[in-house]
Amino acid sequence: MFDIANVKAAPSPDLLTPDNSVMLFVDHQPQMFFGAGNGDRTAVINATVGLAKAAKVFDVPVVLTTVAAESFSGPIMPQLLDVLPGHEVLDRTTMNPWEDSAVVEAVKATGRKKIIISGLWTEVCIVLPALSALGQGYEVYVVADASAGASPQAHEHAIQRMISAGAVPMTWLAVLLELQRDWGREKTYGPVTEVVKEHGGAYGLGLVYAEAITGAHAAG
């Protein structure tokens, strides 16, 4: 029940923070990209790298997983390992990562309840673990622009299916800015703006312009 006396300047517990989240990257592999047909694959790569850099800036735990890397899909995209060098990549045979015990145990080991998930294809290897994790009590946030499906309809229908089950759709930039949430947090201010300048398109160019005109502490 609403009580105005309880209203105060405080964030919602529903918000993502560096302390309550884990990122799960699923099947960002060549063969999966070859079959992605819902949009600009280069944009998906850019969003995926931006999301990985967000995890690195805020020290959010990351689980990397592939499917049939040696026999069919190829290695995880090297741009991810450039951001997360030496990170373990868990290869699977299952289309549903949540049916692979190593992946589930890696997520469980973080102790985090909010799973930020992205990958290929949306209608298979994303929707299946999203529904599975939701069914076991996790909160799932799907990074739609760091994911891709075999067609526009497949991608959109999968997103809608996950929303209907309780998942929250997001973009990689929304994740980054929600983790920052306050430009007064100087420790991550600089790294966040660098990620935006590298991967944020016109917004990133806007920061470049603002810094050039007003100085290095131009707010986002």
Side-chain angles (χ1 to χ4, degrees):
M1 181 179 295
F2 175 73
D3 183 350
I4 198 167
N6 293 328
V7 176
K8 58 184 178 180
S12 165
D14 290 333
L15 297 182
L16 299 171
T17 74
D19 298 319
N20 67 15
S21 307
V22 53
M23 291 194 191
L24 176 59
F25 291 83
V26 179
D27 304 350
H28 291 94
Q29 299 167 263
Q31 183 65 38
M32 308 313 295
F33 272 104
F34 296 159
N38 68 287
D40 183 355
R41 287 171 288 189
T42 300
V44 177
I45 293 171
N46 176 72
T48 302
V49 175
L51 184 64
K53 289 184 177 180
K56 187 172 183 179
V57 167
F58 290 99
D59 199 26
V60 174
V62 169
V63 177
L64 301 178
T65 182
T66 56
V67 64
E70 294 186 4
S71 62
F72 179 72
S73 300
I76 196 167
M77 53 185 259
Q79 296 93 325
L80 271 178
L81 294 183
D82 287 344
V83 177
L84 305 164
H87 201 290
E88 183 180 15
V89 180
L90 304 173
D91 194 46
R92 321 178 316 277
T93 61
T94 62
M95 285 184 279
N96 180 4
W98 212 259
E99 293 181 50
D100 185 279
S101 59
V103 173
V104 175
E105 290 302 317
V107 173
K108 287 174 60 178
T110 69
R112 312 296 178 88
K113 188 178 180 181
K114 297 179 185 291
I115 303 175
I116 303 168
I117 188 170
S118 64
L120 286 71
W121 294 337
T122 323
E123 66 271 29
V124 183
C125 298
I126 298 302
V127 72
L128 298 181
L131 296 180
S132 300
L134 285 165
Q136 294 183 15
Y138 280 90
E139 299 170 27
V140 176
Y141 299 77
V142 183
V143 188
D145 58 351
S147 304
S151 69
Q153 294 85 354
H155 178 75
E156 183 58 31
H157 292 170
I159 294 293
Q160 291 303 319
R161 183 181 180 189
M162 289 184 279
I163 291 172
S164 296
V168 179
M170 298 189 71
T171 64
W172 81 267
L173 187 57
V175 173
L176 175 72
L177 297 181
E178 190 163 322
L179 292 173
Q180 175 69 21
R181 216 172 62 243
D182 183 348
W183 292 118
R185 294 174 177 168
E186 296 184 357
K187 181 178 179 181
T188 51
Y189 175 93
V192 164
T193 56
E194 286 304 308
V195 175
V196 171
K197 285 187 285 186
E198 292 170 2
H199 301 280
Y203 177 35
L205 285 177
L207 285 185
V208 172
Y209 173 80
E211 288 186 359
I213 299 302
T214 65
H217 295 288

